[in-house]
Amino acid sequence: MSAPREPAIAVIGAGMSGICMAITLLRAGFRDVTIFEKSDRFGGTWRENTYPGLTCDVPSRFYQFRFAKNPDWSQFFAPGAEIEEYFTRVAHEYGLPSITRFGAEVCGAEFANGRWTVTTAEGARERYDFVLCATGILHHPRTPDLPGLDDFAGAAFHSARWDHGIELTGKRVGVLGTGSTGVQIVTDLAGKAGRLTLFQRTAQWVAPLPNGRYSRLTRAAHRRFPVLDELGYAVTHRIFEFLMGALIEPGPRREMVAGFCRANLRTVRDPALRAALTPEYEPMCKRLVISGGFYRAVQRPDVAVVTSAVDHLVPRGVVTADGRVHELDVLVLATGFDAHAFMRPMGIVGADGRTLDQAWADGPQAFETVALPGFPNMFLLIGPHSPVGNYPLTLIAETQAEHILGWIRRWCAGEFDTVEPTEAATERYYARLRAALPKTVWATGCQSWYLGKDGKPELWPWTPARHRALMQRTPDPANYRFATAPGGPPATAGRASAR
């Protein structure tokens, strides 16, 4: 009996999901694993976002890997720098620096003769049996095309490119955008900036969950008794699973969360300000903003909420559609990311010369969130239609990584040389997905980064538990196209068929 094959595996990205995938492979015994990371360190979005007030909107005891619990979280919602430190520490504990190529931006990957050729921006070309894309979703900043932006005499920068050399104390600061980022920035800067102006494009529903600090005694207890970490994770997990039902279908849970948000809005005392902050859509249609201090911040006398649209900039500030000039020293663009780019702008060429841009001409799609027809032996983490709505991506990445590991193990056993989902299976899967979307809260009528170019949500329309069950079950071979190398052994009977 021949020994199992050893695959050469490329993991693209050293953020949360890339770290998770690489550790999953190393723990399973694989050694020919290479991580490509364009930056000089681990961390992904937590490395790139360093704006004031940055915290995760998922509780810290749930936003962590199950195999690497952290007893030392300082707050209920962990600060961004602490999360980056956590992922970096975990990466080092599992030896990832030795397999990571920092400063190696992947600009292309091409499939030919049963293998992938990965090309970096510096021109290096290497071949791999599997390419695993862990490039994230909130990665490419979206900067609005504002007339006069280059003429502005003050400092202007995107929230994901924060300029820490700019002193904000006592300055006139404007923040454009009211998503989670804009809310966190405003909440932190209120009382520090001399005058803070929030340019609100769309009002947001805000859930007022306080961000309490964990005491030294609590952290010591979690270090001494690891079962407390397991308990904290399990309890938070159950609460989230219960609340996720509010996103998926109408009913008491949706009404409960909506009532919670509306009650919070009533804490805004001024009727005119409260009206300005009242969304015209159902709570949770956009990603729910978590903040225990935002409404207090915007009620300060040195904070203004402007609802008139930004028209253009002049050297001394922002001009809104009502003709008013808002004089500023600093303008922060909290305008989000291109959430539909995924691996792009990488040039990916699959079987028969088909490019990823061609495959995604009508919008990003992935069979069961992890694989693409026409792109053999390529898998995605946090791919299109993954359950990312107000849910910890760590758990999603773990379940997808284990699913991908299962395919690689089957390759090692000689069951196939390449695998990809069929077009027919992908079409059936998306027909079921689209049929389920109208019941979700994301389809109730609002504009958000959840929506694709067809105006429909690009999210998982069922419970996260259903996604985990899908990732853990044995794949149906009828949904896949298998191939063996010329002259190689036939695919395992009953599991694979020749291409």
Side-chain angles (χ1 to χ4, degrees):
M1 182 176 179
S2 60
R5 296 184 291 181
E6 176 73 17
I9 305 169
V11 177
I12 302 176
M16 179 278 297
S17 59
I19 291 170
C20 179
M21 186 72 249
I23 291 174
T24 300
L25 292 169
L26 294 183
R27 294 177 75 196
F30 294 98
R31 290 295 174 263
D32 192 355
V33 179
T34 303
I35 304 174
F36 291 88
E37 170 53 51
K38 68 178 183 179
S39 182
D40 60 354
R41 64 188 195 275
F42 297 102
T45 190
W46 300 107
R47 176 195 64 233
E48 297 186 6
N49 286 275
T50 60
Y51 60 81
L54 171 62
T55 58
C56 186
D57 59 3
V58 173
S60 52
R61 301 231 181 268
F62 196 21
Y63 190 81
Q64 58 181 335
F65 297 133
R66 289 175 293 181
F67 57 80
K69 301 290 199 320
N70 176 26
D72 290 315
W73 294 115
S74 65
Q75 298 175 222
F76 186 74
F77 295 107
E82 194 172 322
I83 298 172
E84 181 193 0
E85 187 280 330
Y86 164 75
F87 286 128
T88 300
R89 175 171 53 80
V90 171
H92 279 263
E93 288 176 352
Y94 282 89
L96 298 196
S98 65
I99 63 170
T100 303
R101 297 185 187 175
F102 293 108
E105 181 176 4
V106 173
C107 61
E110 183 173 1
F111 182 83
N113 300 320
R115 301 188 82 198
W116 285 94
T117 299
V118 173
T119 305
T120 68
E122 294 183 344
R125 292 170 58 85
E126 296 183 21
R127 301 198 71 190
Y128 293 90
D129 298 296
F130 288 90
V131 169
L132 313 180
C133 296
T135 49
I137 50 174
L138 302 183
H139 177 55
H140 300 286
R142 185 186 294 278
T143 301
D145 185 15
L146 295 175
L149 182 59
D150 293 338
D151 299 326
F152 178 51
F157 47 83
H158 193 277
S159 58
R161 301 292 183 266
W162 194 270
D163 188 344
H164 291 276
I166 303 296
E167 176 57 55
L168 301 180
T169 303
K171 298 292 182 64
R172 299 168 299 179
V173 180
V175 177
L176 176 59
T178 49
S180 292
T181 297
V183 165
Q184 290 180 348
I185 292 171
V186 167
T187 303
D188 184 87
L189 293 185
K192 299 176 183 176
R195 178 70 176 171
L196 187 59
T197 303
L198 174 62
F199 296 96
Q200 177 182 275
R201 297 181 298 175
T202 306
Q204 299 278 355
W205 289 107
V206 180
L209 298 181
N211 191 12
R213 299 189 67 85
Y214 290 118
S215 68
R216 211 182 312 179
L217 180 62
T218 298
R219 296 197 298 273
H222 276 259
R223 286 194 298 272
R224 178 69 177 82
F225 304 104
V227 68
L228 294 176
D229 275 335
E230 301 296 331
L231 181 61
Y233 188 98
V235 169
T236 311
H237 189 181
R238 294 180 75 89
I239 292 172
F240 263 72
E241 293 294 326
F242 172 79
L243 293 176
M244 286 304 101
L247 302 171
I248 303 307
E249 58 186 3
R253 281 178 285 187
R254 186 178 295 183
E255 295 169 6
M256 179 188 70
V257 176
F260 187 52
C261 294
R262 292 191 172 96
N264 185 39
L265 181 60
R266 288 195 290 272
T267 64
V268 178
R269 296 184 298 274
D270 178 58
L273 179 58
R274 185 168 61 247
L277 294 169
T278 301
E280 297 179 349
Y281 55 87
E282 192 170 335
M284 298 175 294
C285 183
K286 293 175 178 284
R287 186 179 180 94
L288 194 60
V289 175
I290 308 296
S291 175
F294 176 65
Y295 286 153
R296 288 197 303 273
V298 295
Q299 292 181 84
R300 291 177 56 95
D302 54 358
V303 178
V305 177
V306 176
T307 57
S308 183
V310 172
D311 186 77
H312 65 280
L313 274 78
V314 293
R316 59 196 180 103
V318 167
V319 181
T320 46
D322 57 8
R324 183 181 174 188
V325 179
H326 305 267
E327 296 189 353
L328 300 173
D329 301 306
V330 179
L331 177 63
V332 177
L333 304 173
T335 48
F337 301 83
D338 181 358
H340 310 289
F342 295 97
M343 302 90 79
R344 296 174 290 186
M346 286 169 46
I348 298 179
V349 182
D352 304 320
R354 192 183 190 202
T355 68
L356 181 67
D357 284 339
Q358 290 171 333
W360 283 0
D362 296 325
Q365 292 189 354
F367 180 66
E368 296 181 347
T369 74
V370 294
L372 306 176
F375 296 81
N377 289 12
M378 172 177 280
F379 292 95
L380 318 182
L381 290 105
I382 319 296
H385 292 88
S386 292
V388 301
N390 284 106
Y391 199 76
L393 302 191
T394 47
L395 182 53
I396 301 166
E398 283 187 65
T399 55
Q400 290 174 333
E402 290 290 340
H403 176 86
I404 295 167
L405 174 64
W407 281 114
I408 296 175
R409 280 175 165 160
R410 291 177 63 178
W411 181 94
C412 292
E415 295 185 20
F416 58 85
D417 286 318
T418 65
V419 62
E420 63 186 279
T422 67
E423 291 82 354
T426 304
E427 290 173 3
R428 291 193 299 270
Y429 163 71
Y430 269 92
R432 296 192 300 271
L433 188 147
R434 293 189 186 99
L437 280 172
K439 289 184 178 180
T440 68
V441 70
W442 309 300
T444 56
C446 68
Q447 291 295 318
S448 76
W449 63 265
Y450 288 156
L451 304 184
K453 59 194 299 185
D454 60 359
K456 296 179 181 179
E458 291 187 349
L459 290 173
W460 179 258
W462 301 289
T463 65
R466 180 166 171 173
H467 182 260
R468 286 195 302 278
L470 177 67
M471 292 291 97
Q472 292 166 357
R473 77 183 185 194
T474 302
D476 183 351
N479 291 332
Y480 295 88
R481 182 181 297 113
F482 299 87
T484 55
T492 303
R495 290 193 179 182
S497 57
R499 183 171 180 172

